[in-house]
Amino acid sequence: MKVFTALYGLNDAAERARELRDAGASGVATFEGPHDVFAPLTLAATVPDLNLMTNVAIAFPRNPIHLAHQANDHQLLSSGRFILGLGTQIRTQIEKRFGAQFDKPVARMTELIAALRAIFAAWNTGDRLDFRGDYYRHTLMTPTFNPGPNPYGPPPIYVGALGPRLTRAVAEHADGLLVMPFGSKRFLHEHTMPMVRLGAAGRDGFTVLPEIIVSAGETDAEREQADARTRALLAFYGSTPAYRPVLAAHGWQDLQPELNALSKQGRWDDMGGLITDEILHTIAACGTPADVARHIRDRVDGIADTVCLYQAAPLSLETLAAIVDELR
């Protein structure tokens, strides 16, 4: 089994990426946080034998041309080892933080994928760019702005999804699905995969890449500290209405409004206390590296041969290496 892990930081991104590769990671992924999601991967592209992925670039505030140029450049810099991971985020973040539009996110994301494919095709084939949709319109590509054919081909497009409509649309139109980290074995097998099978019916080469929250340590003290951080992370996710279906799949749907109310009161320290051991161990892979690997294999068996480890805080290189060894 191959493993993606999180790449944090900026100035030391290349050095850290090399350390993660040497610890056994097959790829590194960045998230849209305090730094630009592409910048660390620009530095990490100098590290050979390591795949790169944005996890995720928030799509709607970006224009398809911007995304296409960034993705194409990283595909070139990495010699074909780049995956463009996209996500919708939630309405509040898109409208209030980015100042962008969020209406009809499934239709908008589907069209954005089509626009990207049209741009990549124009660059690689020389055909005239003529994309006209409801949300995006691209009808001009003069030689000055055309990078020309990419020797490694267009980068694959993966999209993060949770809800059934977007999951099915991603399976129908994208190259891969990024399974959201706030999830469980039951939700993956009973809710996500049926939509994937419907959307990807008749298609070859579609990839399902599960993201799994990991809470691990080599000692009791390390595991206790990791569990405390992970409970806080699960409480943060669980407070969001978008993730209520995951809780509802286990009969925990009433927890979401309770966590949401605490978040609105600013009682962040109290929220983690509502995450029981059962919830913790159902959603996150917890314990020793062997325990974590066992949880991951059980969850993704028959679905994926690559996973992305999602962490409340960076794993030590020793713990990462042990998890990778156990998975292999």
CSV table of all heavy atoms in Angstrom, one decimal, residues 220-261:
chain,number,residue,atom,x,y,z
A,220,ASP,N,2.9,5.4,25.3
A,220,ASP,CA,1.6,5.8,25.9
A,220,ASP,C,1.4,7.3,26.0
A,220,ASP,O,0.3,7.8,25.6
A,220,ASP,CB,1.4,5.2,27.3
A,220,ASP,CG,1.3,3.7,27.3
A,220,ASP,OD1,1.0,3.1,26.2
A,220,ASP,OD2,1.5,3.0,28.3
A,221,ALA,N,2.5,8.0,26.4
A,221,ALA,CA,2.4,9.5,26.5
A,221,ALA,C,2.1,10.1,25.1
A,221,ALA,O,1.3,11.0,25.0
A,221,ALA,CB,3.6,10.0,27.1
A,222,GLU,N,2.8,9.6,24.1
A,222,GLU,CA,2.7,10.2,22.7
A,222,GLU,C,1.3,9.9,22.2
A,222,GLU,O,0.7,10.8,21.6
A,222,GLU,CB,3.7,9.5,21.8
A,222,GLU,CG,5.1,10.0,22.0
A,222,GLU,CD,6.1,9.3,21.1
A,222,GLU,OE1,5.7,8.3,20.4
A,222,GLU,OE2,7.3,9.7,21.1
A,223,ARG,N,0.7,8.7,22.5
A,223,ARG,CA,-0.6,8.4,22.0
A,223,ARG,C,-1.7,9.2,22.7
A,223,ARG,O,-2.6,9.6,22.1
A,223,ARG,CB,-0.8,6.9,22.2
A,223,ARG,CG,0.0,6.0,21.2
A,223,ARG,CD,-0.5,4.6,21.2
A,223,ARG,NE,-0.1,3.9,22.4
A,223,ARG,CZ,1.1,3.3,22.6
A,223,ARG,NH1,2.0,3.3,21.7
A,223,ARG,NH2,1.3,2.7,23.8
A,224,GLU,N,-1.5,9.4,24.0
A,224,GLU,CA,-2.4,10.2,24.8
A,224,GLU,C,-2.5,11.6,24.3
A,224,GLU,O,-3.6,12.2,24.1
A,224,GLU,CB,-2.1,10.2,26.3
A,224,GLU,CG,-3.0,11.0,27.2
A,224,GLU,CD,-2.7,10.9,28.6
A,224,GLU,OE1,-1.8,10.1,29.0
A,224,GLU,OE2,-3.3,11.6,29.4
A,225,GLN,N,-1.3,12.2,24.0
A,225,GLN,CA,-1.2,13.6,23.4
A,225,GLN,C,-1.9,13.6,22.0
A,225,GLN,O,-2.6,14.6,21.7
A,225,GLN,CB,0.2,14.0,23.4
A,225,GLN,CG,0.4,15.5,23.0
A,225,GLN,CD,1.9,15.9,23.0
A,225,GLN,OE1,2.7,15.2,22.5
A,225,GLN,NE2,2.1,17.1,23.6
A,226,ALA,N,-1.6,12.6,21.2
A,226,ALA,CA,-2.1,12.6,19.9
A,226,ALA,C,-3.7,12.5,19.9
A,226,ALA,O,-4.4,13.1,19.1
A,226,ALA,CB,-1.5,11.4,19.1
A,227,ASP,N,-4.2,11.6,20.8
A,227,ASP,CA,-5.6,11.5,20.9
A,227,ASP,C,-6.3,12.8,21.3
A,227,ASP,O,-7.4,13.1,20.8
A,227,ASP,CB,-6.0,10.4,21.9
A,227,ASP,CG,-5.7,9.0,21.4
A,227,ASP,OD1,-5.4,8.8,20.2
A,227,ASP,OD2,-5.8,8.0,22.2
A,228,ALA,N,-5.7,13.5,22.2
A,228,ALA,CA,-6.3,14.8,22.7
A,228,ALA,C,-6.4,15.8,21.5
A,228,ALA,O,-7.4,16.4,21.3
A,228,ALA,CB,-5.5,15.4,23.8
A,229,ARG,N,-5.3,15.8,20.7
A,229,ARG,CA,-5.4,16.7,19.5
A,229,ARG,C,-6.4,16.2,18.5
A,229,ARG,O,-7.1,17.0,17.8
A,229,ARG,CB,-4.0,16.8,18.8
A,229,ARG,CG,-2.9,17.5,19.6
A,229,ARG,CD,-1.7,17.8,18.8
A,229,ARG,NE,-1.0,16.6,18.4
A,229,ARG,CZ,0.1,16.2,19.0
A,229,ARG,NH1,0.6,16.8,20.0
A,229,ARG,NH2,0.7,15.0,18.5
A,230,THR,N,-6.5,14.9,18.3
A,230,THR,CA,-7.4,14.3,17.4
A,230,THR,C,-8.9,14.6,17.8
A,230,THR,O,-9.8,14.8,17.0
A,230,THR,CB,-7.1,12.9,17.1
A,230,THR,OG1,-5.8,12.7,16.7
A,230,THR,CG2,-8.1,12.3,16.1
A,231,ARG,N,-9.2,14.4,19.1
A,231,ARG,CA,-10.5,14.7,19.6
A,231,ARG,C,-10.9,16.2,19.2
A,231,ARG,O,-12.1,16.4,18.8
A,231,ARG,CB,-10.6,14.5,21.1
A,231,ARG,CG,-10.5,13.1,21.5
A,231,ARG,CD,-10.6,13.0,23.1
A,231,ARG,NE,-10.2,11.7,23.5
A,231,ARG,CZ,-10.9,10.6,23.6
A,231,ARG,NH1,-12.2,10.6,23.3
A,231,ARG,NH2,-10.4,9.5,24.1
A,232,ALA,N,-10.0,17.1,19.4
A,232,ALA,CA,-10.3,18.5,19.1
A,232,ALA,C,-10.5,18.6,17.6
A,232,ALA,O,-11.4,19.4,17.2
A,232,ALA,CB,-9.1,19.4,19.5
A,233,LEU,N,-9.8,17.9,16.8
A,233,LEU,CA,-10.0,18.0,15.3
A,233,LEU,C,-11.3,17.4,14.9
A,233,LEU,O,-12.0,18.0,14.1
A,233,LEU,CB,-8.8,17.2,14.6
A,233,LEU,CG,-8.9,17.1,13.1
A,233,LEU,CD1,-8.8,18.5,12.4
A,233,LEU,CD2,-7.9,16.2,12.5
A,234,LEU,N,-11.7,16.3,15.5
A,234,LEU,CA,-13.0,15.7,15.2
A,234,LEU,C,-14.1,16.6,15.6
A,234,LEU,O,-15.1,16.7,15.0
A,234,LEU,CB,-13.1,14.3,15.8
A,234,LEU,CG,-12.1,13.2,15.4
A,234,LEU,CD1,-12.4,11.9,16.0
A,234,LEU,CD2,-12.1,13.1,13.9
A,235,ALA,N,-13.9,17.2,16.8
A,235,ALA,CA,-15.0,18.1,17.2
A,235,ALA,C,-15.2,19.3,16.3
A,235,ALA,O,-16.3,19.7,16.0
A,235,ALA,CB,-14.6,18.6,18.6
A,236,PHE,N,-14.0,19.8,15.8
A,236,PHE,CA,-14.1,20.9,14.8
A,236,PHE,C,-14.9,20.5,13.6
A,236,PHE,O,-15.8,21.2,13.1
A,236,PHE,CB,-12.7,21.4,14.5
A,236,PHE,CG,-12.6,22.3,13.3
A,236,PHE,CD1,-13.0,23.7,13.5
A,236,PHE,CD2,-12.2,21.9,12.1
A,236,PHE,CE1,-12.9,24.5,12.4
A,236,PHE,CE2,-12.1,22.8,11.0
A,236,PHE,CZ,-12.5,24.1,11.2
A,237,TYR,N,-14.5,19.4,13.0
A,237,TYR,CA,-15.2,18.9,11.8
A,237,TYR,C,-16.6,18.6,12.1
A,237,TYR,O,-17.5,18.9,11.4
A,237,TYR,CB,-14.5,17.6,11.3
A,237,TYR,CG,-13.4,17.8,10.3
A,237,TYR,CD1,-12.1,17.4,10.6
A,237,TYR,CD2,-13.6,18.5,9.1
A,237,TYR,CE1,-11.0,17.6,9.8
A,237,TYR,CE2,-12.5,18.7,8.3
A,237,TYR,CZ,-11.3,18.3,8.6
A,237,TYR,OH,-10.2,18.5,7.7
A,238,GLY,N,-16.9,17.9,13.3
A,238,GLY,CA,-18.2,17.5,13.6
A,238,GLY,C,-19.2,18.6,13.9
A,238,GLY,O,-20.4,18.4,13.8
A,239,SER,N,-18.7,19.8,14.1
A,239,SER,CA,-19.5,21.0,14.4
A,239,SER,C,-20.1,21.5,13.1
A,239,SER,O,-21.1,22.3,13.1
A,239,SER,CB,-18.8,22.1,15.1
A,239,SER,OG,-17.8,22.6,14.2
A,240,THR,N,-19.6,21.1,12.0
A,240,THR,CA,-20.0,21.6,10.6
A,240,THR,C,-21.2,20.8,10.1
A,240,THR,O,-21.1,19.6,10.0
A,240,THR,CB,-18.8,21.6,9.7
A,240,THR,OG1,-17.7,22.2,10.2
A,240,THR,CG2,-19.2,22.2,8.3
A,241,PRO,N,-22.3,21.4,9.7
A,241,PRO,CA,-23.4,20.7,9.2
A,241,PRO,C,-23.1,19.8,8.1
A,241,PRO,O,-23.7,18.7,7.9
A,241,PRO,CB,-24.4,21.8,8.8
A,241,PRO,CG,-24.1,23.0,9.7
A,241,PRO,CD,-22.6,22.9,9.9
A,242,ALA,N,-22.1,20.1,7.2
A,242,ALA,CA,-21.8,19.3,6.1
A,242,ALA,C,-21.4,17.9,6.5
A,242,ALA,O,-21.5,16.9,5.7
A,242,ALA,CB,-20.7,20.0,5.3
A,243,TYR,N,-20.8,17.7,7.7
A,243,TYR,CA,-20.3,16.4,8.1
A,243,TYR,C,-21.3,15.7,9.0
A,243,TYR,O,-21.0,14.6,9.5
A,243,TYR,CB,-19.0,16.6,8.9
A,243,TYR,CG,-17.9,17.1,8.0
A,243,TYR,CD1,-17.5,18.4,8.0
A,243,TYR,CD2,-17.3,16.2,7.1
A,243,TYR,CE1,-16.5,18.9,7.2
A,243,TYR,CE2,-16.3,16.7,6.2
A,243,TYR,CZ,-15.9,18.0,6.3
A,243,TYR,OH,-14.9,18.5,5.5
A,244,ARG,N,-22.5,16.2,9.2
A,244,ARG,CA,-23.5,15.5,9.9
A,244,ARG,C,-23.9,14.1,9.4
A,244,ARG,O,-24.1,13.2,10.1
A,244,ARG,CB,-24.8,16.4,10.1
A,244,ARG,CG,-25.8,15.8,11.1
A,244,ARG,CD,-26.9,16.7,11.3
A,244,ARG,NE,-27.9,16.2,12.3
A,244,ARG,CZ,-28.9,16.8,12.7
A,244,ARG,NH1,-29.2,18.0,12.3
A,244,ARG,NH2,-29.7,16.2,13.6
A,245,PRO,N,-23.9,13.9,8.0
A,245,PRO,CA,-24.2,12.6,7.5
A,245,PRO,C,-23.3,11.5,8.0
A,245,PRO,O,-23.7,10.3,8.2
A,245,PRO,CB,-24.1,12.8,6.0
A,245,PRO,CG,-24.4,14.2,5.8
A,245,PRO,CD,-23.8,14.9,6.9
A,246,VAL,N,-22.0,11.8,8.2
A,246,VAL,CA,-21.1,10.8,8.7
A,246,VAL,C,-21.5,10.4,10.1
A,246,VAL,O,-21.5,9.2,10.5
A,246,VAL,CB,-19.6,11.3,8.7
A,246,VAL,CG1,-18.7,10.3,9.3
A,246,VAL,CG2,-19.2,11.7,7.3
A,247,LEU,N,-21.8,11.4,11.0
A,247,LEU,CA,-22.2,11.1,12.3
A,247,LEU,C,-23.6,10.3,12.3
A,247,LEU,O,-23.8,9.4,13.1
A,247,LEU,CB,-22.4,12.4,13.1
A,247,LEU,CG,-21.1,13.2,13.3
A,247,LEU,CD1,-21.4,14.5,14.0
A,247,LEU,CD2,-20.1,12.4,14.2
A,248,ALA,N,-24.5,10.7,11.4
A,248,ALA,CA,-25.8,10.1,11.3
A,248,ALA,C,-25.7,8.6,10.9
A,248,ALA,O,-26.5,7.8,11.3
A,248,ALA,CB,-26.7,10.8,10.3
A,249,ALA,N,-24.7,8.3,10.1
A,249,ALA,CA,-24.5,6.9,9.7
A,249,ALA,C,-24.3,6.0,10.9
A,249,ALA,O,-24.5,4.7,10.8
A,249,ALA,CB,-23.3,6.8,8.7
A,250,HIS,N,-23.9,6.5,12.0
A,250,HIS,CA,-23.6,5.8,13.3
A,250,HIS,C,-24.6,6.1,14.4
A,250,HIS,O,-24.4,5.7,15.5
A,250,HIS,CB,-22.2,6.0,13.7
A,250,HIS,CG,-21.2,5.5,12.8
A,250,HIS,ND1,-20.7,4.3,12.8
A,250,HIS,CD2,-20.6,6.2,11.7
A,250,HIS,CE1,-19.8,4.1,11.8
A,250,HIS,NE2,-19.7,5.3,11.2
A,251,GLY,N,-25.6,6.9,14.1
A,251,GLY,CA,-26.6,7.3,15.1
A,251,GLY,C,-26.2,8.4,16.0
A,251,GLY,O,-26.8,8.6,17.0
A,252,TRP,N,-25.2,9.2,15.6
A,252,TRP,CA,-24.6,10.2,16.4
A,252,TRP,C,-25.0,11.6,15.9
A,252,TRP,O,-24.4,12.6,16.1
A,252,TRP,CB,-23.1,10.2,16.4
A,252,TRP,CG,-22.6,8.9,16.9
A,252,TRP,CD1,-23.1,8.0,17.9
A,252,TRP,CD2,-21.3,8.2,16.5
A,252,TRP,NE1,-22.3,6.9,18.1
A,252,TRP,CE2,-21.2,7.0,17.2
A,252,TRP,CE3,-20.4,8.5,15.6
A,252,TRP,CZ2,-20.2,6.1,17.1
A,252,TRP,CZ3,-19.3,7.6,15.4
A,252,TRP,CH2,-19.2,6.4,16.1
A,253,GLN,N,-26.1,11.7,15.1
A,253,GLN,CA,-26.4,13.0,14.4
A,253,GLN,C,-26.7,14.1,15.4
A,253,GLN,O,-26.5,15.3,15.1
A,253,GLN,CB,-27.6,12.8,13.5
A,253,GLN,CG,-28.9,12.3,14.2
A,253,GLN,CD,-29.0,10.8,14.3
A,253,GLN,OE1,-28.0,10.1,14.0
A,253,GLN,NE2,-30.2,10.3,14.6
A,254,ASP,N,-27.2,13.8,16.6
A,254,ASP,CA,-27.5,14.9,17.6
A,254,ASP,C,-26.2,15.6,18.1
A,254,ASP,O,-26.3,16.6,18.7
A,254,ASP,CB,-28.3,14.3,18.7
A,254,ASP,CG,-29.7,13.9,18.3
A,254,ASP,OD1,-30.1,14.3,17.3
A,254,ASP,OD2,-30.3,13.1,19.1
A,255,LEU,N,-25.1,14.9,17.9
A,255,LEU,CA,-23.8,15.5,18.4
A,255,LEU,C,-23.5,16.8,17.5
A,255,LEU,O,-22.9,17.7,18.1
A,255,LEU,CB,-22.7,14.5,18.2
A,255,LEU,CG,-21.3,15.0,18.6
A,255,LEU,CD1,-21.2,15.4,20.1
A,255,LEU,CD2,-20.2,13.9,18.3
A,256,GLN,N,-23.8,16.8,16.3
A,256,GLN,CA,-23.4,17.9,15.4
A,256,GLN,C,-24.0,19.3,15.9
A,256,GLN,O,-23.2,20.2,16.1
A,256,GLN,CB,-23.8,17.7,14.0
A,256,GLN,CG,-23.3,18.7,13.0
A,256,GLN,CD,-24.2,19.9,12.9
A,256,GLN,OE1,-25.5,19.8,12.8
A,256,GLN,NE2,-23.7,21.1,12.9
A,257,PRO,N,-25.3,19.4,16.1
A,257,PRO,CA,-25.8,20.7,16.6
A,257,PRO,C,-25.2,21.1,18.0
A,257,PRO,O,-25.0,22.3,18.3
A,257,PRO,CB,-27.3,20.6,16.6
A,257,PRO,CG,-27.5,19.1,16.6
A,257,PRO,CD,-26.4,18.5,15.9
A,258,GLU,N,-24.9,20.1,18.8
A,258,GLU,CA,-24.4,20.4,20.1
A,258,GLU,C,-23.0,20.9,20.0
A,258,GLU,O,-22.6,21.9,20.6
A,258,GLU,CB,-24.3,19.1,21.0
A,258,GLU,CG,-23.9,19.3,22.4
A,258,GLU,CD,-24.1,18.0,23.3
A,258,GLU,OE1,-24.5,17.0,22.7
A,258,GLU,OE2,-23.7,18.1,24.4
A,259,LEU,N,-22.1,20.3,19.1
A,259,LEU,CA,-20.8,20.9,18.9
A,259,LEU,C,-20.9,22.2,18.2
A,259,LEU,O,-20.1,23.1,18.5
A,259,LEU,CB,-20.0,19.9,18.0
A,259,LEU,CG,-19.6,18.6,18.6
A,259,LEU,CD1,-19.1,17.6,17.5
A,259,LEU,CD2,-18.5,18.8,19.6
A,260,ASN,N,-21.8,22.4,17.3
A,260,ASN,CA,-22.0,23.7,16.6
A,260,ASN,C,-22.3,24.8,17.6
A,260,ASN,O,-21.8,25.9,17.5
A,260,ASN,CB,-23.1,23.6,15.5
A,260,ASN,CG,-23.2,24.8,14.7
A,260,ASN,OD1,-24.0,25.7,14.9
A,260,ASN,ND2,-22.3,24.9,13.7
A,261,ALA,N,-23.2,24.5,18.5
A,261,ALA,CA,-23.6,25.5,19.5
A,261,ALA,C,-22.4,25.9,20.4
A,261,ALA,O,-22.2,27.1,20.7
A,261,ALA,CB,-24.7,24.9,20.4
